[in-house]
Amino acid sequence: MDTITSTTKLNSSEIFDLMKQFITEVIGEEFVEEMDITMESSFTKDLEMDSIEIVSFSEKIKIHFGEQIDFTGWLSNMDLDELINLNLGTIVNYIEECQ
Amino acid sequence: MPVINVETRAVHVQELNKGAAETVLLVHGMFSNLSIYYFNIAPILAKHFHVVMYDLKSHGMSEKIADGYDLNSMTDDLSALLDQLELSSVHLAGYSFGGLISLKMAARFPDKVKKLAVIEAPDPNDDKTRDIIDEYSREFLEYYVQNFADTTKSKMGKRQMEKNHRMYEYLFHETSIKSDMIRERDFFSAAEIDGISQETLLLYGASSNCLDAGKQLKKKIKRVELMEVDGDHNVPIQQPVSIGNLMETFFKN
């Protein structure tokens, strides 16, 4: 698969905006318009993303950041409770640390 | 998102550890998608193997197709996918309906299947699955989701409920899935099951209502081991690490 690795280090606000863009691409603008997406938004409860949508979201991170961020590997170390409660802020922090 | 064309149909495929010498291909169940493996089971197997997951037709992010849900058609699809990916033979694992596809694949294309792992494959002669189609309604989905949440801890919101409702409506009313399933009623008593020669691992939930199906298969397949894992039919969701580790050991040794 082709990857487009981002070389510029992003700050947390820029990562948040990028994640929001990915979420919009995955679940559709019409649903995102009805949501107030914040750093506290949880993937399953607030954003109502199902697992195939999280796969799609993970792919976007993989394509954007390339090898520098093993997002799927990071998720795979979480148990079901952690995955269900995962929020956007935790992901933003993880990506910021990995850059 | 890796969506590839296989004989003119769009198929969503995910691969891990592409450089590995041997491949494990994972087949998901009906009304599900490849994500059942993606986050936990596949990464365990990818420590040693090239792992391939794909969405069955009309499932996940693969193209919607109106017909061809019988096991011959589903294994034709899988065989074409292997050819497209230039994989001459793989270790194969399937869950639930994916387990039936995997059994059929081992029987029809023995040269393409090395070892076989079957997770919670139901007996197609059991009317419960077809009854679900007959009785399907939105109320049923809401009840099912509530029950599913009890065993998997996953809650479904309004958007997901609508999305799933649309998928069920499509599969139940606009495809041949029901009649195709009826045609497979005698699959477990067919001679081809007795003819499966691959080393086979059967993984079933100890409290699953499909466990009897596993016991039937154990009697019919020659080189077979049946292992019970704590859980019910949702055991890959309930015990992904155990299922992943058991398959890793089985395929490695």
Side-chain angles (χ1 to χ4, degrees):
Chain A
M1 182 184 19
D2 295 328
T3 54
I4 304 159
T5 307
S6 170
T7 50
T8 316
K9 192 172 175 179
L10 305 177
N11 63 35
S12 62
S13 167
E14 289 167 330
I15 297 169
F16 174 76
D17 287 342
L18 185 64
M19 297 302 108
K20 211 170 153 180
Q21 179 197 319
F22 290 167
I23 291 164
T24 306
E25 287 167 7
V26 170
I27 68 176
E29 208 159 332
E30 69 272 30
F31 295 109
V32 171
E33 278 171 2
E34 296 169 6
M35 293 173 181
D36 179 23
I37 300 180
T38 70
M39 292 284 255
E40 283 71 44
S41 298
S42 76
F43 270 58
T44 52
K45 189 165 177 278
D46 299 323
L47 303 179
E48 282 194 36
M49 286 173 77
D50 66 10
S51 45
I52 195 71
E53 289 168 341
I54 298 174
V55 170
S56 183
F57 177 78
S58 304
E59 278 298 302
K60 289 182 182 296
I61 291 179
K62 205 185 284 183
I63 290 166
H64 188 89
F65 291 100
E67 297 297 317
Q68 64 173 310
I69 292 175
D70 181 15
F71 186 67
T72 308
W74 180 63
L75 289 181
S76 72
N77 287 319
M78 294 184 186
D79 64 25
L80 195 56
D81 285 328
E82 287 174 303
L83 274 175
I84 287 168
N85 294 316
L86 184 66
N87 67 28
L88 204 46
T90 312
I91 293 171
V92 169
N93 289 341
Y94 170 72
I95 292 173
E96 195 172 18
E97 283 169 15
C98 287
Q99 285 183 110
Chain B
M1 185 59 55
V3 175
I4 61 171
N5 278 326
V6 181
E7 292 185 333
T8 73
R9 288 196 296 267
V11 180
H12 174 214
V13 177
Q14 290 283 345
E15 294 178 79
L16 301 177
N17 193 15
K18 219 170 168 181
E22 290 194 292
T23 299
V24 176
L25 192 141
L26 303 168
V27 190
H28 69 76
M30 199 175 277
F31 315 131
S32 177
N33 55 61
L34 61 77
S35 69
I36 197 158
Y37 299 117
Y38 185 86
F39 294 106
N40 296 99
I41 294 171
I44 292 171
L45 296 168
K47 286 186 284 181
H48 304 282
F49 301 101
H50 168 218
V51 178
V52 178
M53 298 158 271
Y54 74 109
D55 282 334
L56 299 172
K57 61 180 76 165
S58 306
H59 290 73
M61 303 182 77
S62 286
E63 186 178 340
K64 285 186 169 132
I65 306 286
D67 47 32
Y69 293 88
D70 58 285
L71 294 175
N72 272 334
S73 300
M74 298 307 280
T75 47
D76 283 343
D77 293 349
L78 177 50
S79 179
L81 175 66
L82 291 179
D83 293 345
Q84 176 81 29
L85 296 175
E86 298 181 345
L87 296 167
S88 55
S89 66
V90 297
H91 298 306
L92 186 63
Y95 167 55
S96 196
F97 180 53
L100 299 179
I101 295 169
S102 302
L103 284 162
K104 187 77 172 186
M105 190 74 191
R108 283 188 74 206
F109 301 100
D111 295 343
K112 290 188 172 185
V113 180
K114 294 177 183 170
K115 288 185 179 179
L116 175 66
V118 176
I119 311 162
E120 281 286 325
D123 178 358
N125 201 29
D126 187 332
D127 287 331
K128 280 196 286 289
T129 313
R130 285 191 305 276
D131 286 347
I132 287 173
I133 295 175
D134 283 337
E135 293 167 10
Y136 178 75
S137 66
R138 193 184 169 81
E139 289 72 30
F140 169 79
L141 177 61
E142 284 168 3
Y143 172 79
Y144 175 79
V145 165
Q146 187 58 47
N147 184 49
F148 185 80
D150 288 344
T151 53
T152 64
K153 297 196 247 178
S154 305
K155 293 272 189 292
M156 207 179 275
K158 189 170 168 240
R159 184 175 70 84
Q160 287 302 331
M161 191 77 83
E162 290 297 333
K163 184 180 167 187
N164 277 275
H165 183 63
R166 284 198 301 274
M167 177 185 69
Y168 289 121
E169 285 286 317
Y170 175 77
L171 282 168
F172 292 164
H173 301 304
E174 294 177 48
T175 74
S176 60
I177 200 164
K178 184 181 173 186
S179 55
D180 289 347
M181 281 172 65
I182 289 169
R183 280 160 55 195
E184 302 296 347
R185 181 185 286 266
D186 298 324
F187 179 53
F188 271 24
S189 52
E192 59 189 340
I193 297 276
D194 303 77
I196 290 175
S197 58
Q198 291 90 342
E199 199 179 328
T200 302
L201 174 66
L202 304 170
L203 293 170
Y204 280 77
S207 55
S208 168
N209 53 14
C210 291
L211 180 56
D212 281 345
K215 290 175 180 172
Q216 281 186 63
L217 290 172
K218 185 175 187 297
K219 286 181 192 165
K220 295 175 75 67
I221 299 171
K222 293 175 195 78
R223 300 164 65 205
V224 66
E225 183 178 8
L226 170 62
M227 298 186 81
E228 294 180 27
V229 180
D230 190 26
D232 56 29
H233 187 63
N234 293 313
V235 71
I237 301 166
Q238 294 159 342
Q239 306 284 351
V241 176
S242 298
I243 295 288
N245 288 336
L246 287 167
M247 287 203 289
E248 179 195 24
T249 305
F250 171 67
F251 289 133
K252 258 174 72 185
N253 297 333

